[in-house]
Amino acid sequence: GARELLAAWLERSPDDVESLRRLREMQTEAEQWDAVVETCGRLLELDSDEPLEEAALALQQAYEMLGRAEEARAGLEQAREKLPNNSAIRGALRKLYEKVGAHRELAMLLIEEAHSLDDVEQKTAYLRWAGQTLVMVGDVDGAVPALREVLDLQPDDVGARVSLADASIVAGQYDEADALLDEALAEFKGRRHGKEQAIFVQRKSHVARAKGDPDGQLALIQKAHQADNKNGEIAAELADLAELLEQWDAATKSLRAITLIEGCRITPTQALIRQGRISLRQGDTKRAMMFARRAKRGEEGDQTEVDAFLAEIEAAGS
């Protein structure tokens, strides 16, 4: 009854902000989320300061409860225009941009947020995130200043160096990318940084790939794997490239290493099957069967894939 009275009153006095806030509270308590959305929309037009923040966050909650979180975007952006320095609204909008894949908008927000922070670690984390995001969407011009700023703040930041090299590769500036990576490798030389060196050499292999030099790419990704044989991404890249180039020994060694690496995109079962297929291509049916049986004993992975490979071996032997 109280909600009905308030709603009737607001028909006559639509700008009564206090009544709108009370109505929103009552609608929230009753979990009337569509009504909350409508009331918050009216409050976003009328409110300011802290009450506006409350309305924006209530709108976000209502849309989430309705299973339509992405529809809160316009309201949150409207609130941010009124309160550009409000960290709560900015944080809610950042999460929403992540959720809906609005990468460029997310990056611009991260850069703005970084410049509002005094903590160097947080600032560099946001700038690095922004730069990497912009590289991912191909916005090199936007990425480079953010990544350069990271390196100004923390010259040894590996993520920023790698992303800056990635940006140069995306832009087709291969010599610049190579120079950046060579400089990084020279600075890390002699230190106990095998993991970091492996990543820099991996990126040099990406430069070789972009230049259309598969042999150079293979040599470099092998060198990266030697520097850090626990890096699943590097091991997987080596296995894929070596198989593509029919370099069976290199492929087998990298696949063998993958069976001992956690979190690689090539699972241990897939690595065993791929080693078996290499053996099958080389005419060694017995060795192929050994790999198939080892894969069959594994607890992880889709056993239908193993059964399909066993069928391949039987067909090859018949």
Side-chain angles (χ1 to χ4, degrees):
R3 287 197 304 272
E4 290 177 6
L5 285 171
L6 269 176
W9 167 252
L10 286 164
E11 289 290 328
R12 297 193 298 274
S13 301
D15 295 340
D16 185 339
V17 175
E18 289 298 331
S19 294
L20 280 169
R21 291 173 191 157
R22 180 59 187 140
L23 180 62
R24 184 198 71 219
E25 292 170 1
M26 296 171 73
Q27 291 166 339
T28 300
E29 289 170 5
E31 298 184 0
Q32 296 178 329
W33 303 118
D34 282 312
V36 173
V37 166
E38 182 182 350
T39 302
C40 286
R42 293 168 70 180
L43 283 168
L44 289 178
E45 296 290 339
L46 300 170
D47 254 334
S48 60
D49 300 326
E50 188 175 334
L52 178 65
E53 174 191 317
E54 293 174 4
L57 298 181
L59 178 76
Q60 180 192 32
Q61 179 194 21
Y63 273 123
E64 285 178 354
M65 297 304 295
L66 290 167
R68 293 158 28 208
E70 67 282 356
E71 293 182 35
R73 176 172 174 173
L76 288 172
E77 288 177 338
Q78 179 184 356
R80 184 168 173 268
E81 284 181 14
K82 287 189 173 184
L83 298 177
N85 298 320
N86 185 285
S87 60
I89 294 172
R90 198 163 53 209
L93 199 51
R94 173 164 49 83
K95 290 177 183 176
L96 182 61
Y97 285 156
E98 282 185 79
K99 188 176 183 124
V100 303
H103 301 298
R104 187 170 278 102
E105 292 86 347
L106 170 62
M108 294 301 104
L109 194 62
L110 288 168
I111 292 170
E112 184 177 319
E113 200 156 356
H115 291 153
S116 73
L117 298 170
D118 294 323
D119 185 273
V120 174
E121 291 289 335
Q122 267 192 303
K123 185 189 290 281
T124 54
Y126 278 3
L127 287 168
R128 188 192 311 111
W129 184 3
Q132 290 170 342
T133 300
L134 289 168
V135 171
M136 182 180 69
V137 298
D139 186 352
V140 175
D141 291 338
V144 169
L147 295 169
R148 290 283 187 197
E149 192 171 348
V150 173
L151 292 176
D152 287 341
L153 292 166
Q154 293 189 342
D156 283 347
D157 191 293
V158 173
R161 285 176 181 265
V162 168
S163 295
L164 200 53
D166 288 341
S168 298
I169 294 169
V170 170
Q173 299 168 350
Y174 306 136
D175 291 341
E176 183 175 336
D178 258 335
L180 282 167
L181 294 165
D182 287 338
E183 181 184 347
L185 285 165
E187 288 183 21
F188 279 82
K189 187 177 181 180
R191 305 191 207 174
R192 293 183 178 180
H193 289 289
K195 293 181 179 180
E196 288 82 357
Q197 290 175 344
I199 294 171
F200 295 140
V201 177
Q202 178 202 27
R203 286 321 198 269
K204 283 183 70 68
S205 79
H206 293 178
V207 176
R209 178 179 62 196
K211 288 180 175 180
D213 179 10
D215 292 333
Q217 181 188 352
L218 179 62
L220 285 163
I221 200 67
Q222 283 179 305
K223 184 178 178 182
H225 182 59
Q226 289 166 3
D228 182 9
N229 60 11
K230 296 297 183 184
N231 186 309
E233 181 187 350
I234 291 174
E237 284 187 21
L238 174 55
D240 290 343
L241 180 61
E243 283 193 70
L244 181 66
L245 299 178
E246 299 187 356
Q247 297 293 322
W248 306 125
D249 286 344
T252 300
K253 287 178 182 177
S254 58
L255 290 165
R256 189 184 305 133
I258 285 170
T259 60
L260 303 174
I261 297 174
E262 292 184 6
C264 181
R265 61 177 169 82
I266 300 174
T267 67
T269 295
Q270 291 169 340
L272 287 167
I273 292 172
R274 285 172 65 165
Q275 289 178 81
R277 286 206 170 99
I278 291 171
S279 297
L280 201 57
R281 290 195 62 163
Q282 294 175 323
D284 193 340
T285 307
K286 185 177 179 180
R287 187 170 173 79
M289 181 60 75
M290 178 199 72
F291 283 118
R293 286 173 179 158
R294 284 178 59 191
K296 188 72 174 174
R297 289 196 299 269
E299 294 181 0
E300 59 80 35
D302 186 356
Q303 289 299 310
T304 58
E305 191 175 357
V306 182
D307 293 336
F309 179 49
L310 283 166
E312 287 179 41
I313 297 171
E314 290 176 11
S318 62

